[in-house]
Amino acid sequence: MKYRKFGKTNFNASEVSLGTWQLGSKWGDPFNEQDAQNTLAAAYDAGVNFFDTADIYQDGHSERALAKFIKGKQDKVFVSTKVGRKLDPHVASGYTKANITKFVEESLTNLDVDALDNVLLHCPPTPVYYEPEVFFALDELKKAGKIKNYGVSVERVEEAMKALDYDISAVEIIYNMFRLRPADNFFKMAQAKNVGIIARVPLASGLLSGKYTLDTTFGKADHRNFNRHGEAFDQGETFSGVDYETGVKAANELHERLGLDQPLAPLALRYILMADAVSTVIPGASKPEQITRNVAAAELPAFTADQMAIVRDVYNKYIKNPVQYKW
C-alpha cells in the first residue's frame, strides 16, 4: 500500500481505502456484523487506514461496526463520516446549527470517540453552499473540539468549487473513467487550497468492474434497480448517471481497447490514482475477499499516455453527453 497526504489534515491516507456503504451486506440485504468485522480486518491488514462512512449507512450499523473495530487503533486510522441525510425531507432549510450539532453528537456516540476525525455534509442541496451560517456552525463544532476537520460530499463540480470558499479540509466527489470533469479544473483549485479529495463511486456502481452485461439483474432493494432515473435520490449516484446499456458498451470497449487480460476494476481504480490531487479512492466491499482485489490496484503500473487517451476517447464517445453537462 502507498499513502498520500490528506490535505491540510496532514494524515497520510492509504491510496486505496474503504467505503462502507455496503459494509456487512450487499445493497438492500440485512446487516451482518461478523462480515463487517472480517471485512474491516482484511482492509486494515492490507494497509488500509482510511474509512469512509455515514450516519445513515446501514441505519447506523456502519458507524457502530467501525467503533468496535477501531478500539485501540484510533491513532493509526482516520474515519470520515457524513451527516445530513437523516433529514426528511432532505431540504436546505434542514441544515440548521441545531440539526448539524445533533447529527454530530449522534455520530460521536455511534463511533464512540471524543472527536470526529472528519465530518462531511452528505450531498446537501445546492442552496446550502450559499448559506455561510451552515459552515460557521461547523467552525464552532471544530472550536469546541467535537470535530477535527470538516468538508462536503458533493453531487456536482460547481458545489465542490463553491465549498472551497469555506475552511474545509476535504471534498468527496464522484470521479472515475465515466466522470472525468472534476479533473478539468476543480482538482487544481482544491490543491491550491490544500484540500484533500476523496474519490467516491470509483467503479460507477459496478459498471467499471466490467462484469455486467445487458442481462444482469439487481435486487429489488438495490439502488441500481430503483434509482436509475433518480427516483429516490440524485441520478448521478447510480452508475454515475450513465445510461445502463450505454455504460455496458463503454466498459466493454474500454476492456477491449486497453488490451486487458485481467478484470477492468483494478485498472479503473488505478486510473483514478493517476490524478495526484486525489488523496484516496474508496471502493466498497461487503466481503473480505473483495478487499484483496481492491487494494491490488495500488500496485499496478501507471497508465501510459496512450492508455489515458483511450479512456478520454471512450468517455467522449459514450459518456460526455449528457454526464459532463449535468454533473
Side-chain angles (χ1 to χ4, degrees), residues 127-285:
V128 169
Y129 298 89
Y130 295 86
E131 296 292 339
E133 292 78 10
V134 173
F135 296 88
F136 297 161
L138 290 164
D139 287 330
E140 290 184 26
L141 287 166
K142 191 173 177 180
K143 289 178 182 177
K146 299 288 187 179
I147 62 178
K148 299 176 184 177
N149 303 279
Y150 72 82
V152 291
S153 182
V154 302
E155 298 291 3
R156 291 168 173 79
V157 170
E158 287 78 11
E159 295 168 343
M161 291 177 171
K162 178 59 181 172
L164 293 175
D165 285 347
Y166 306 103
D167 188 27
I168 63 172
S169 295
V171 169
E172 185 172 284
I173 191 166
I174 298 176
Y175 177 62
N176 57 50
M177 287 175 165
F178 288 170
R179 187 73 76 86
L180 301 186
R181 189 175 170 219
D184 291 346
N185 294 298
F186 169 66
F187 282 0
K188 291 179 182 178
M189 295 171 66
Q191 281 183 302
K193 294 216 170 184
N194 198 21
V195 168
I197 292 175
I198 307 166
R200 69 188 187 96
V201 196
L203 299 180
S205 306
L207 272 178
L208 287 167
S209 69
K211 64 182 182 181
Y212 295 161
T213 71
L214 297 181
D215 297 322
T216 301
T217 59
F218 302 95
K220 184 178 180 180
D222 191 319
H223 72 101
R224 293 171 294 184
N225 177 47
F226 66 76
N227 192 59
R228 292 191 183 189
H229 304 288
E231 295 91 335
F233 41 81
D234 192 276
Q235 183 183 356
E237 297 281 350
T238 302
F239 302 128
S240 294
V242 178
D243 169 74
Y244 182 75
E245 291 187 7
T246 301
V248 170
K249 292 177 184 177
N252 288 340
E253 185 163 325
L254 278 171
H255 196 279
E256 180 180 349
R257 291 181 62 185
L258 289 171
L260 302 182
D261 57 0
Q262 59 180 307
L264 179 61
L267 269 293
L269 296 178
R270 184 65 183 91
Y271 175 84
I272 292 169
L273 295 174
M274 290 296 293
D276 59 5
V278 171
S279 307
T280 187
V281 58
I282 53 168

Side-chain angles (χ1 to χ4, degrees), residues 73-150:
K73 306 183 186 73
Q74 286 94 331
D75 60 334
K76 299 177 182 177
V77 300
F78 191 103
V79 176
S80 179
T81 194
K82 297 183 286 292
V83 302
R85 296 308 290 264
K86 286 182 178 179
L87 293 170
D88 187 15
H90 184 234
V91 293
S93 59
Y95 280 80
T96 63
K97 178 180 178 180
N99 280 338
I100 292 171
T101 300
K102 177 176 178 287
F103 297 151
V104 165
E105 293 286 356
E106 289 170 350
S107 286
L108 284 167
T109 298
N110 278 349
L111 286 164
D112 195 18
V113 292
D114 296 326
L116 300 175
D117 291 332
N118 191 52
V119 172
L120 303 176
L121 298 183
H122 199 168
C123 299
T126 300
V128 169
Y129 298 89
Y130 295 86
E131 296 292 339
E133 292 78 10
V134 173
F135 296 88
F136 297 161
L138 290 164
D139 287 330
E140 290 184 26
L141 287 166
K142 191 173 177 180
K143 289 178 182 177
K146 299 288 187 179
I147 62 178
K148 299 176 184 177
N149 303 279
Y150 72 82

